[in-house]
Amino acid sequence: TSGVDDAEDFVHEVMLMAGDEDGVNVDDPFVVVTLEAPHTVLEASDSWCQLSGFVRSGIVGRSMRMLQGPTTDMTILKTIIGAAAAGNSRRGLIALYMGSGDDFLCVVTGRKTTTGDGKAAC
């Protein structure tokens, strides 16, 4: 393999971390999305809305794509959601986008959960 490919694989490994169930803080900003693409936002916390500049009614029911942009590493995002779908917690550092269009780095933890109506989500 080329040195560039090896470096990219290394960066992805560094950016992805095992999840830590004990590190969950209910006050942390969060969104809950469907496990299937396009990963519809099912819920957004007050703290997420404050952090991101999105209004809850403007994000819930819409695709997670509205949080993504040119610097969002989709490989990392897909890995996090895929791990959650398999029942494993996984974390990664990715760029997401605010309501203003500005990007910010965010440690995302994906873990499988169940919605109020019994559907699997992340």
Side-chain angles (χ1 to χ4, degrees):
T1 64
S2 75
V4 171
D5 290 339
D6 291 341
E8 288 176 5
D9 289 344
F10 175 73
V11 169
H12 285 202
E13 280 304 308
V14 169
M15 302 290 250
L16 287 167
M17 303 153 268
D20 179 8
E21 294 293 328
D22 295 332
V24 175
N25 181 342
V26 295
D27 294 326
D28 284 345
F30 68 87
V31 292
V32 176
V33 299
T34 60
L35 293 175
E36 304 81 30
H39 310 296
T40 303
V41 176
L42 302 173
E43 186 178 343
S45 69
D46 289 339
S47 55
W48 173 262
C49 293
Q50 280 184 309
L51 171 74
S52 66
F54 283 102
V55 176
R56 183 176 286 107
S57 61
I59 191 171
V60 171
R62 299 195 53 197
S63 166
M64 192 177 165
R65 288 185 189 130
M66 67 186 303
L67 304 176
Q68 303 162 8
T71 62
T72 302
D73 188 326
M74 295 307 297
T75 302
I76 292 174
L77 188 59
K78 287 177 184 178
T79 300
I80 293 168
I81 293 173
N88 302 309
S89 181
R90 193 76 186 252
R91 274 194 251 171
L93 179 67
I94 61 173
L96 293 177
Y97 286 76
M98 301 171 71
S100 66
D102 294 327
D103 64 338
F104 66 102
L105 286 177
C106 181
V107 175
V108 175
T109 302
R111 65 180 51 84
K112 194 171 188 177
T113 188
T114 306
T115 63
D117 59 0
K119 293 182 181 176
C122 170

